[in-house]
Amino acid sequence: MYICLCKAVSDKAIKQSIADGACSMRDLKARLGVGSQCGKCVCQASAILHNELVKQPRDANNLAKPAA
Ligand code: FES
């Protein structure tokens, strides 16, 4: 299903971009152009982003370490 009609970006393309490392709307905009024209897709793309990020396992090595 198309999420961004202006840039013809589907939900699958957004999910794939997130799987490839996109972790913010700024990333999705840079990679796919989502939200770069009329902006009507931002809310739905943001919801997909959130749902995909909460599914991803957290890498303990990337967590901030307390200052020694
Ligand atoms: Fe995505 Fe217009 S629908 S920028």
Side-chain angles (χ1 to χ4, degrees):
M1 174 175 76
Y2 283 109
I3 302 300
C4 178
L5 296 177
C6 294
K7 294 293 184 177
V9 179
S10 68
D11 57 336
K12 285 183 182 178
I14 292 172
K15 289 176 184 177
Q16 184 60 54
S17 188
I18 295 165
D20 291 343
C23 59
S24 67
M25 281 304 296
R26 182 176 294 185
D27 289 343
L28 292 178
K29 185 176 180 180
R31 292 171 184 225
L32 302 171
V34 171
S36 63
Q37 286 194 358
C38 74
K40 289 182 180 175
C41 58
V42 170
C43 189
Q44 198 167 0
S46 183
I48 293 170
L49 176 67
H50 175 76
N51 287 339
E52 292 302 305
L53 290 179
V54 297
K55 288 183 199 171
Q56 291 182 350
R58 294 179 190 235
D59 183 353
N61 293 325
N62 289 337
L63 296 177
K65 295 192 173 26

